Amino acid sequence: MAIAERVAGAMPHLDIRTNISARGGRGPTLIAGAEAARGDVLLFLHGDTTLPDCFDAMVRTELSDEKVLATAFSFHVDRDEMTKPIAGLSMMEFTVNIRSRFFELPFGDQAMAITKQRYDALGGFPNEPIMEDFELVQRLRRCGAAGSGYIKTLPAGAACSARR
């Protein structure tokens, strides 16, 4: 929550709300946030993820292309908070980004964004405590397979905490 509050304080023009809560896991919490949102673009940010500078312009630019169904940032682990190297970390980042870019399988820790209109049309997140991001991505992929567009992984990285 502290990261979202910092972003909200630094970018008041985005009207970011950080006081949304729900019981039952991440799915119900994300649903509550989407229902409370007042903007035309939804960006789902994990509490341990930091966004790159100008993230809002990147997301809006890509979502203005009608073939882009949703966006996600490249996966990156924040090495600044690491006390010692983690074996295989670069390989994990590489494979996550391959999965995301080539197979259109980003997950929630990549700060997925979607228009409110498309989110509502797809039925939003399922009311499940876990794997809610996977289900939404599968719906988006089915739309893409039907010729409606694709999920775009942005080259800029969202930095996830190394604590996980």
Side-chain angles (χ1 to χ4, degrees), residues 5-78:
E5 289 170 349
R6 269 188 287 164
V7 171
M11 305 182 92
H13 65 284
L14 293 179
D15 194 23
I16 297 170
R17 299 181 69 189
T18 61
N19 59 344
I20 308 302
S21 64
R23 293 180 166 261
R26 209 168 39 215
T29 301
L30 293 171
I31 291 167
E35 288 173 355
R38 296 181 292 254
D40 59 338
V41 173
L42 304 174
L43 186 140
F44 298 98
L45 180 66
H46 284 196
D48 66 346
T49 302
T50 304
L51 296 170
D53 292 340
C54 302
F55 71 90
D56 53 329
M58 288 183 238
V59 166
R60 286 189 173 281
T61 297
E62 295 302 335
L63 290 177
S64 69
D65 179 345
E66 64 185 39
K67 286 296 193 183
V68 176
L69 301 172
T71 65
F73 288 91
S74 294
F75 180 77
H76 172 71
V77 175
D78 185 355

Side-chain angles (χ1 to χ4, degrees), residues 4-161:
E5 289 170 349
R6 269 188 287 164
V7 171
M11 305 182 92
H13 65 284
L14 293 179
D15 194 23
I16 297 170
R17 299 181 69 189
T18 61
N19 59 344
I20 308 302
S21 64
R23 293 180 166 261
R26 209 168 39 215
T29 301
L30 293 171
I31 291 167
E35 288 173 355
R38 296 181 292 254
D40 59 338
V41 173
L42 304 174
L43 186 140
F44 298 98
L45 180 66
H46 284 196
D48 66 346
T49 302
T50 304
L51 296 170
D53 292 340
C54 302
F55 71 90
D56 53 329
M58 288 183 238
V59 166
R60 286 189 173 281
T61 297
E62 295 302 335
L63 290 177
S64 69
D65 179 345
E66 64 185 39
K67 286 296 193 183
V68 176
L69 301 172
T71 65
F73 288 91
S74 294
F75 180 77
H76 172 71
V77 175
D78 185 355
R79 286 170 171 73
D80 292 340
E81 62 182 37
M82 293 173 48
T83 56
K84 60 182 178 177
I86 299 172
L89 185 59
S90 294
M91 179 58 77
M92 181 189 72
E93 290 171 326
F94 176 75
T95 58
V96 166
N97 288 315
I98 291 291
R99 182 197 72 216
S100 183
R101 280 190 185 89
F102 296 109
F103 299 105
E104 296 182 39
L105 283 168
F107 292 134
D109 51 9
Q110 291 175 254
M112 292 191 312
I114 187 171
T115 64
K116 175 85 164 126
Q117 180 180 4
R118 180 162 285 123
Y119 173 87
D120 289 340
L122 289 170
F125 283 110
N127 193 8
E128 300 293 334
I130 60 172
M131 298 297 288
E132 72 297 325
D133 51 351
F134 180 77
E135 177 56 35
L136 182 62
V137 165
Q138 292 306 312
R139 290 186 214 154
L140 288 162
R141 291 179 77 217
R142 284 192 289 276
C143 288
S148 296
Y150 62 99
I151 302 167
K152 170 105 184 220
T153 299
L154 305 174
C160 298
S161 172

